[in-house]
Amino acid sequence: IDGDNRRGGLHRLVGATRMPGLMEVLSGTASMEEAAQRTPYPLLDLLPCGKRLQTGPELLGSPAMAELLEQAKATYSLVLIDCPPLGAGVDPFVLGIAAQNIMLVLRTGQTDREFAEAKLSVLDRLPVRIMGAVLNGVPAGGAYRYYGYLPGYEAADEQITPRPRETALPVSG
């Protein structure tokens, strides 16, 4: 779900259209079935952001959003909601409350630590579980060199040589 009603652009990444989308579903002018779109990626559908509306934040916190999430959970095995940055307004906090969980995305060298701490303190007062954080833009080497792929940690299929089967001896009692 592209929950960024101000600058959402996930539809461009997967070659979908922006409308109808989330805002149309929440305002009642489209159903989830009409707005959700298949993507080129197997098992991945997208509900784009839809029409940009000034009432977007109110719609994100509406009973229609709770109903949409219940329907999405019943339809899909995993529901992810992309939202604007925490400093972009109330939208990410409203979406976090609706989803009951939030994953933070931080960028090395760009995310202001004090600002992030202030936003985390707001999240601490909300009924939202912080699932973790993703750190983007990590340069290879330096302080983060241990988190790269070291020799021996790459993904490869294991070649197993079958052992000859041992014969069991009868046991008498």
Side-chain angles (χ1 to χ4, degrees):
I1 298 174
D2 190 344
D4 189 347
N5 183 241
R6 300 165 199 263
R7 298 180 66 186
L10 291 180
H11 61 282
R12 286 190 292 272
L13 293 175
V14 296
T17 58
R18 184 167 50 96
M19 296 181 283
L22 177 60
M23 291 298 119
E24 286 76 21
V25 173
L26 297 180
S27 63
T29 60
S31 68
M32 185 176 82
E33 292 80 14
E34 293 169 327
Q37 300 175 42
R38 290 267 177 218
T39 71
Y41 304 98
L43 304 177
L44 178 67
D45 290 351
L46 172 68
L47 179 59
C49 60
K51 186 177 181 182
R52 305 201 193 290
L53 300 172
Q54 284 186 325
T55 58
E58 290 83 12
L59 288 171
L60 295 176
S62 71
M65 184 65 181
E67 292 170 18
L68 170 67
L69 288 177
E70 287 304 314
Q71 183 181 2
K73 288 178 194 176
T75 305
Y76 298 98
S77 57
L78 179 65
V79 178
L80 296 173
I81 306 169
D82 184 48
C83 66
L86 291 176
V90 70
D91 304 25
F93 298 104
V94 172
L95 285 168
I97 292 168
Q100 301 173 344
N101 298 296
I102 196 165
M103 174 73 71
L104 300 173
V105 179
L106 308 168
R107 182 164 296 281
T108 302
Q110 291 188 10
T111 301
D112 182 88
R113 185 181 196 142
E114 290 176 7
F115 181 80
E117 287 175 3
K119 297 303 176 182
L120 283 169
S121 71
V122 172
L123 285 171
D124 283 342
R125 293 177 283 198
L126 299 175
V128 176
R129 180 173 65 160
I130 299 173
M131 301 292 292
V134 174
L135 185 58
N136 281 337
V138 177
Y144 301 102
R145 70 181 171 273
Y146 296 108
Y147 296 99
Y149 289 103
L150 301 174
Y153 285 97
E154 64 276 351
D157 290 337
E158 180 179 25
Q159 301 298 323
I160 299 175
T161 307
R163 290 184 21 196
R165 208 174 193 174
E166 296 180 17
T167 56
L169 300 175
V171 178
S172 59

